[in-house]
Amino acid sequence: MRLTDEERAMADGAKSRAAARAMELLIRYGEALGAERLVEVTNVAGTWSVANPIVRDYAARGMDAVFSEFNLDSPEVVETPQAAVTACQLIGGLDARRPEALGVAAEVAALNEAGERYFAARGIAMHATCTPYQVGHVPLFGEHCAWMESSAVVYANAVLGARTNTEGRESTGAASVTRRIPYWGLHIPENRAATHLVRVEIPLSGMRDWGLFGYWLGGQIEDEICALDGIAQRPRPIDLKHFGAAAASSGGLEMYHIPGVTPEAPDLAAAFRGRRPRGTLRFGAAERRAAWQALNGRCTGEEVDFVMLGCPHNALEQVQLVARLLEGRRIRDGVALWVFTPRALGEVAERTGIADIIRAAGGELLSDTCPAISRIVPKGVRRAATDSAKQAHYLPAITGVETLFGSVEACVQAALTGRFAEAAP
Ligand code: F3S
């Protein structure tokens, strides 16, 4: 690994013990990856959360012990320095504002708050969401980043044109201290070119179609880079959010191009950077149906007692839509409706009456976490409905709850009636 003078000095401890330990980790990590050098990053999205049970045990030794062990993989306890870059907290294990709604013990919530305050004082922006790009944590085009969270990584690369691989807690922690990450993978311009062409042969309208498309595509191409051709209707940011999240759960999609829409592909030729596609796929009605079947085909009934919306965390326009669909109505007894949004947007919803509408109907507006991360679902739940292909993919495996996938309208209707009634596309 070639190091600059500044990097060598950091590794030798000239900056701080934390930076020295961070450099040690980054060199080990980079060499394992075959990276020849590090690259300067200016934007980090990671986790400093202490809500997870394993991390909680460490917190008794102090927050520096947490940071050293979990953010630097360092057996030596070092003082947590100020973040050297713009850095934010992703999603965690509880809703800090309404822990009781998820049945989280008061002492766990208090520890979480202490951790948030400790790391916020050291420069970490406590956005507490898997969609930091929805609340102002937005890298510029071409900016080198170190981000965790697969749905956020693919959004950053494809939609924003920033450059990041899917990092972990330790590497983002080290990057926050040193402004460095190994230069490999999607940091390298040539690695961002499309390898496969996907011909889209049906109109994609709305989040449900984009979720199904992403879920199908992820299963086909794993982590190859696709150029999506034939998109007739310009997608919205929330469509691409759902598309990337779905493809990164059934596969490992980290990057894609839509000619004329995403910033690195003004046209199809630019997406391939002059190379020929290594393969061509087509997505039509049969493929969409197959994705729906893969998500819903194993469910043994249509009665639901839980509806989860907001994976990835909902934009305000999505929360507003849910409120409109619920206004003046009442969720069926015995059914729980949880709607997740970033805490900053939750605050807007609280202050403008949107949250009141959801609660008046019997639902909950929550932040900071989700059932897949917290492993918390309402007590006794047997079958859920969600508008997220990603959540439908993970919820059965993580919580053992059968999960149906469909449009947001069908999910809200299921909350009102206790029955999911949307037909296959
Ligand atoms: Fe976010 Fe949880 Fe979904 S982390 S993308 S809401 S599984």
Side-chain angles (χ1 to χ4, degrees):
M1 169 88 63
R2 290 195 317 271
L3 298 181
T4 64
D5 290 347
E6 185 190 352
E7 288 162 358
R8 195 165 300 286
M10 274 197 285
D12 290 343
K15 190 173 179 197
S16 65
R17 282 306 301 154
R21 301 307 311 213
M23 283 300 295
E24 187 184 310
L25 180 148
L26 291 172
I27 292 168
R28 250 191 301 147
Y29 173 43
E31 287 179 346
L33 294 165
E36 292 178 358
R37 67 177 176 92
L38 303 174
V39 65
E40 191 159 340
V41 292
T42 40
N43 186 302
V44 170
T47 182
W48 287 257
S49 172
V50 297
N52 167 306
I54 300 168
V55 182
R56 276 206 303 267
D57 289 345
Y58 262 79
R61 306 183 207 175
M63 296 300 169
D64 287 339
V66 169
F67 179 76
S68 302
E69 174 69 24
F70 293 98
N71 295 87
L72 295 180
D73 191 28
S74 163
E76 174 195 358
V77 175
V78 297
E79 193 178 328
T80 310
Q82 278 289 325
V85 294
T86 299
C88 82
Q89 164 68 36
L90 292 163
I91 197 165
L94 58 89
D95 183 331
R97 208 170 28 180
R98 309 200 64 236
E100 72 289 347
L102 297 178
V104 172
E107 59 271 23
V108 175
L111 181 65
N112 182 65
E113 186 176 339
E116 287 207 354
R117 287 172 176 270
Y118 191 83
F119 293 115
R122 283 148 187 82
I124 309 302
M126 287 292 161
H127 288 311
T129 175
C130 50
T131 60
Y133 51 85
Q134 295 191 131
V135 290
H137 191 82
V138 186
L140 293 177
F141 179 82
E143 190 170 350
H144 289 280
C145 303
W147 280 28
M148 287 172 66
E149 170 44 40
S150 62
S151 70
V153 165
V154 63
Y155 196 95
N157 279 312
V159 182
L160 303 178
R163 298 181 184 182
T164 181
N165 297 305
T166 305
E167 297 294 345
R169 179 168 183 156
E170 297 83 356
S171 59
T172 51
S176 75
V177 172
T178 60
R179 296 173 70 98
R180 298 295 191 284
I181 206 75
Y183 184 66
W184 73 289
L186 291 171
H187 290 287
I188 301 172
E190 307 85 72
N191 293 349
R192 301 174 65 82
T195 57
H196 288 66
L197 176 65
V198 182
R199 295 195 193 285
V200 180
E201 297 176 346
I202 50 174
L204 301 174
S205 65
M207 285 178 352
R208 186 181 81 152
D209 275 1
W210 277 96
L212 289 172
F213 180 30
Y215 198 70
W216 172 82
L217 187 63
Q220 303 295 312
I221 55 96
E222 294 290 332
D223 59 354
E224 298 286 357
I225 298 177
C226 294
L228 315 179
D229 193 29
I231 305 292
Q233 193 178 332
R234 203 172 173 78
R236 302 164 297 174
I238 57 174
D239 297 325
L240 298 182
K241 177 178 68 169
H242 271 260
F243 167 74
S249 54
S250 57
L253 194 80
E254 291 180 303
M255 175 68 182
Y256 62 89
H257 302 277
I258 305 177
V261 174
T262 56
E264 291 179 50
D267 54 35
L268 197 54
F272 284 96
R273 290 179 180 253
R275 297 183 205 148
R276 293 170 64 82
R278 288 211 307 264
T280 301
L281 297 88
R282 54 173 292 283
F283 181 76
E287 287 74 22
R288 180 171 60 187
R289 181 74 177 244
W292 186 92
Q293 191 63 27
L295 287 166
N296 289 359
R298 283 194 296 273
C299 278
T300 56
E302 285 144 6
E303 310 302 318
V304 300
D305 43 17
F306 176 39
V307 174
M308 186 277 175
L309 304 173
C311 166
H313 278 174
N314 269 350
L316 195 61
E317 69 194 270
Q318 296 174 279
V319 181
Q320 287 169 319
L321 172 61
V322 174
R324 276 204 303 280
L325 294 168
L326 287 173
E327 190 152 23
R329 308 174 81 183
R330 185 79 200 157
I331 289 164
R332 189 182 167 92
D333 279 351
V335 180
L337 169 66
W338 289 359
V339 183
F340 291 85
T341 193
R343 61 170 57 167
L345 302 182
E347 181 66 16
V348 177
E350 294 290 350
R351 292 174 69 96
T352 53
I354 299 165
D356 290 338
I357 296 171
I358 294 172
R359 291 208 186 96
E364 289 281 2
L365 183 65
L366 299 161
S367 294
D368 305 354
T369 190
C370 75
I373 294 292
S374 66
R375 297 170 183 257
I376 298 172
V377 291
K379 271 203 174 53
V381 160
R382 282 161 306 173
R383 190 175 302 117
T386 179
D387 63 345
S388 164
K390 176 171 178 174
Q391 195 73 200
H393 178 82
Y394 285 121
L395 213 49
I398 291 175
T399 66
V401 173
E402 259 190 24
T403 306
L404 289 151
F405 165 81
S407 67
V408 60
E409 291 82 2
C411 289
V412 171
Q413 195 59 25
L416 294 168
T417 62
R419 191 165 168 275
F420 182 85
E422 191 167 61

